[in-house]
Amino acid sequence: MPENKKKFIAVIGGSDPTSKEAKAAEKVGRELARHGAILICGGLGGVMEAACRGAGAEGGTTIGILPGENRRAANPYVQIPIATSIGYARNAAVVKSAQAIIAIDGSYGTLTEIGYALQSGIPVIGLNTWAISRNGKQDSSIIPAESPSQAVEMALELAVD
Amino acid sequence: MPENKKKFIAVIGGSDPTSKEAKAAEKVGRELARHGAILICGGLGGVMEAACRGAGAEGGTTIGILPGENRRAANPYVQIPIATSIGYARNAAVVKSAQAIIAIDGSYGTLTEIGYALQSGIPVIGLNTWAISRNGKQDSSIIPAESPSQAVEMALELAVD
Amino acid sequence: MPENKKKFIAVIGGSDPTSKEAKAAEKVGRELARHGAILICGGLGGVMEAACRGAGAEGGTTIGILPGENRRAANPYVQIPIATSIGYARNAAVVKSAQAIIAIDGSYGTLTEIGYALQSGIPVIGLNTWAISRNGKQDSSIIPAESPSQAVEMALELAVD
Amino acid sequence: MPENKKKFIAVIGGSDPTSKEAKAAEKVGRELARHGAILICGGLGGVMEAACRGAGAEGGTTIGILPGENRRAANPYVQIPIATSIGYARNAAVVKSAQAIIAIDGSYGTLTEIGYALQSGIPVIGLNTWAISRNGKQDSSIIPAESPSQAVEMALELAVD
């Protein structure tokens, strides 16, 4: 299958996950690669690195969209580093380059990425991540998954064109 | 007082507020100007325009940090339009240029701005806006205000340097 | 005159000018302020700081569109610091927020700003700055001025809406 | 060879090249792919599309770093589209993600990319492109090549880490 027919899925999450979350991220990366999807992430450590390690172990392609201007800042499992040089405004680029998002745990940066995805109508699957409510009403746009495998299945099924 | 000694406060919120929210935004703008603060916003319509209208009516200074490359896209109450040309990645610039944030209602774009502010340690005061919880635990970083006046008081008091 | 009816003129140039160039930048800042124009710049040192110092001495308004996320990184003569957080991609924002550009000497960053201005049809006035030719043919889009006063006159006259 | 050990080379140039320039771009793309390099470009038409077409014909990998937020705006020969959403500020990302640059003909956007590359110490090889002089002195940082093959050889040889 040519690269541009493959599904591009972003995995987002913090740089300081618990070991349980890191394992979930690695599993997500593995499953994405097994299904022939291309993994997009922010290119740094934590959830991003664990997901890339998993994808790489299964021969998948990994893209790291970095905040800085040094391509060598990517984690060692990123095959295609993009040095945006635009700081955390790059969170918009991580998300908008993907057809669906899997959010694992996550920090405030992850929250910005969730906002950008929902703004663009890109599906967000959540694994132990943020929940949001507006003016007292629950917003159920973040679709909860119960396991890494289910998160990947849902992301591939809901991926927009 | 020289401009750069004044407090810079951002007002964020959606482009399609209810009339009650628009009134709250206008009141926030008025109160900021009365206290000698400079209003920063995203420069477009809705909450942004209402806040600028209020600030302008009290002789305050209004800055609009626009997503596009056309400075004339600013609402008519923006005195200082900045045409960033970087799209919704400009949400990072709106927030990081401010010393405190007042979020009124808000859309997913507002959620990205809240995330960027909390990431940088910039206080966020909320008026009928997003609430967030992570992995089942409420995150109380968004400080609720009960009125526009109270929101302004809290923003000025909590403003970081 | 309300702020948004004033002319917004950007002064661009390197952070390490000769003393002659710094004097020219200060003079350009003074003249812009005397003519009621608002000065936009990249907010840092060198040409940017000298121009702001000149404008401030005449009571003019100065805007610094910074690369980083710290508003306190602005030079002391910037009255309105904008912390874009997008690094040198902010060069696009400096230029596109202005109605005309005055380039003084300048580094490679200045060259990117000249390119962005010409791309958007924003007039560029040059004082001892870059000259460009394409495929062997001189490109005369950078309009040379012979003095700071003349540069300011030309910028105000050629400013686009 | 793993992807991240390959050389990443950007090809920059306008969206409206002459047929001679388009042929040169296609040849550059072919040669890069034959040498196992990964092609980075701005993802749109003209020089970018011709270079991607050439690289694709030789089985090379092509990355398109797009200005908009729609990944489908990429030319059909882009295998890995990145939707930065930051407009022409993305020119910084195109350049800083590469280890060397080949500039073919080019518009004012190309001039911004040359400026960003030289600012970061990334070598720029030119084929019938911009020449620059500062304050009356020729700046010879843009290294002229006499043919597409020579441009590729020089880019691969001069590529920084």
Side-chain angles (χ1 to χ4, degrees):
Chain A
M1 184 160 47
E3 298 282 288
N4 60 356
K5 299 296 176 206
K6 293 181 178 173
K7 294 251 165 69
F8 285 68
I9 308 293
V11 177
I12 62 177
S15 53
D16 190 25
T18 64
S19 73
K20 190 185 146 208
E21 288 152 0
K23 270 181 203 157
E26 184 163 352
K27 188 80 190 302
V28 162
R30 280 187 178 275
E31 290 294 316
L32 284 172
R34 282 181 191 147
H35 286 82
I38 290 180
L39 170 66
I40 297 177
C41 72
L44 299 177
V47 162
M48 300 169 262
E49 180 163 347
C52 287
R53 190 171 54 235
E58 298 288 336
T61 298
T62 58
I63 301 170
I65 302 184
L66 296 157
E69 58 177 345
N70 185 346
R71 51 195 296 284
R72 294 184 307 275
N75 74 59
Y77 308 102
V78 167
Q79 293 158 14
I80 299 184
I82 306 293
T84 66
S85 80
I86 59 166
Y88 290 99
R90 76 77 155 86
N91 293 4
V94 170
V95 160
K96 290 174 197 291
S97 298
Q99 298 172 263
I101 310 296
I102 299 172
I104 302 173
D105 185 59
S107 58
Y108 294 124
T110 308
L111 189 63
T112 68
E113 292 169 317
I114 290 173
Y116 280 127
L118 297 178
Q119 184 185 50
S120 297
I122 298 170
V124 178
I125 318 299
L127 272 172
N128 298 325
T129 189
W130 292 101
I132 53 178
S133 60
R134 179 162 31 175
N135 211 345
K137 279 184 222 144
Q138 188 69 24
D139 179 318
S140 54
S141 302
I142 303 170
I143 305 165
E146 299 196 344
S147 68
S149 307
Q150 195 195 18
V152 169
E153 274 168 40
M154 292 167 87
L156 293 172
E157 189 184 319
L158 297 173
V160 291
D161 257 345
Chain B
M1 183 160 51
E3 299 282 287
N4 62 354
K5 297 297 177 207
K6 293 181 177 173
K7 295 251 164 72
F8 285 69
I9 308 293
V11 177
I12 62 177
S15 53
D16 190 26
T18 64
S19 73
K20 189 185 148 208
E21 289 151 2
K23 271 181 203 159
E26 185 163 351
K27 188 79 191 303
V28 163
R30 279 187 178 274
E31 290 293 316
L32 285 171
R34 281 181 191 145
H35 287 81
I38 290 181
L39 170 65
I40 297 178
C41 71
L44 298 178
V47 161
M48 298 169 262
E49 180 164 346
C52 288
R53 191 170 52 234
E58 299 287 337
T61 298
T62 58
I63 300 171
I65 301 183
L66 296 157
E69 58 178 344
N70 185 347
R71 50 196 297 283
R72 294 184 307 275
N75 74 58
Y77 308 102
V78 167
Q79 292 158 16
I80 298 182
I82 305 295
T84 65
S85 81
I86 60 167
Y88 290 99
R90 75 78 153 86
N91 294 3
V94 170
V95 159
K96 291 173 196 291
S97 299
Q99 298 172 264
I101 310 295
I102 299 173
I104 301 174
D105 185 61
S107 57
Y108 293 124
T110 308
L111 189 63
T112 67
E113 292 170 315
I114 290 172
Y116 279 127
L118 296 178
Q119 186 185 48
S120 297
I122 298 169
V124 178
I125 317 299
L127 271 172
N128 298 324
T129 190
W130 292 102
I132 54 177
S133 60
R134 181 163 27 176
N135 211 346
K137 278 185 222 144
Q138 189 69 25
D139 179 319
S140 53
S141 303
I142 303 170
I143 305 164
E146 298 197 343
S147 68
S149 306
Q150 195 194 18
V152 169
E153 273 168 41
M154 293 166 85
L156 293 173
E157 189 183 320
L158 298 173
V160 292
D161 258 345
Chain C
M1 184 159 51
E3 298 282 287
N4 62 353
K5 298 298 175 205
K6 293 181 179 172
K7 295 251 165 71
F8 285 68
I9 308 293
V11 177
I12 61 177
S15 53
D16 190 25
T18 64
S19 72
K20 188 184 148 210
E21 288 152 2
K23 271 181 203 159
E26 186 164 352
K27 187 80 192 303
V28 162
R30 280 186 178 275
E31 290 293 316
L32 284 171
R34 281 180 191 147
H35 286 81
I38 290 180
L39 170 66
I40 297 177
C41 73
L44 299 177
V47 161
M48 299 170 261
E49 181 164 348
C52 288
R53 192 171 51 235
E58 299 287 337
T61 298
T62 58
I63 300 170
I65 302 183
L66 296 156
E69 57 177 346
N70 185 347
R71 50 195 297 285
R72 295 185 305 275
N75 75 59
Y77 308 102
V78 167
Q79 293 159 13
I80 299 183
I82 306 294
T84 66
S85 80
I86 59 167
Y88 289 99
R90 75 79 154 85
N91 293 4
V94 170
V95 159
K96 291 174 196 291
S97 298
Q99 298 172 263
I101 310 296
I102 299 172
I104 302 174
D105 185 60
S107 58
Y108 293 125
T110 308
L111 189 63
T112 68
E113 292 170 316
I114 290 172
Y116 279 127
L118 296 178
Q119 186 185 47
S120 297
I122 298 169
V124 178
I125 318 298
L127 271 172
N128 299 325
T129 189
W130 292 101
I132 53 178
S133 60
R134 180 162 29 176
N135 211 347
K137 279 185 221 142
Q138 189 70 23
D139 178 319
S140 53
S141 302
I142 304 170
I143 305 165
E146 300 197 342
S147 69
S149 306
Q150 194 194 20
V152 170
E153 273 168 40
M154 292 167 86
L156 293 173
E157 188 184 320
L158 296 173
V160 291
D161 258 344
Chain D
M1 182 160 50
E3 299 281 288
N4 62 354
K5 298 296 175 208
K6 293 181 178 173
K7 294 250 164 71
F8 286 67
I9 309 292
V11 177
I12 62 177
S15 53
D16 190 25
T18 64
S19 72
K20 189 184 148 209
E21 288 151 2
K23 269 181 205 158
E26 185 163 351
K27 188 82 191 302
V28 163
R30 279 187 179 275
E31 290 294 316
L32 284 171
R34 280 182 192 145
H35 286 82
I38 290 181
L39 169 65
I40 297 177
C41 71
L44 298 177
V47 162
M48 300 169 261
E49 181 164 347
C52 287
R53 191 172 50 236
E58 298 287 337
T61 298
T62 58
I63 300 170
I65 301 184
L66 296 156
E69 58 178 344
N70 185 347
R71 50 196 297 284
R72 295 184 306 274
N75 75 58
Y77 308 101
V78 167
Q79 292 157 14
I80 298 183
I82 305 294
T84 65
S85 82
I86 60 166
Y88 290 98
R90 76 80 154 84
N91 293 3
V94 170
V95 159
K96 291 174 195 292
S97 298
Q99 298 173 264
I101 310 295
I102 299 172
I104 302 174
D105 183 61
S107 58
Y108 293 124
T110 308
L111 189 63
T112 67
E113 291 170 318
I114 291 172
Y116 280 126
L118 297 178
Q119 185 184 48
S120 296
I122 298 169
V124 178
I125 318 299
L127 272 173
N128 299 325
T129 190
W130 293 102
I132 53 178
S133 60
R134 180 163 28 176
N135 211 347
K137 278 185 222 141
Q138 189 68 25
D139 178 318
S140 54
S141 303
I142 303 169
I143 305 164
E146 298 197 343
S147 68
S149 307
Q150 195 195 17
V152 169
E153 273 168 40
M154 293 166 87
L156 292 173
E157 189 183 320
L158 297 173
V160 291
D161 258 345

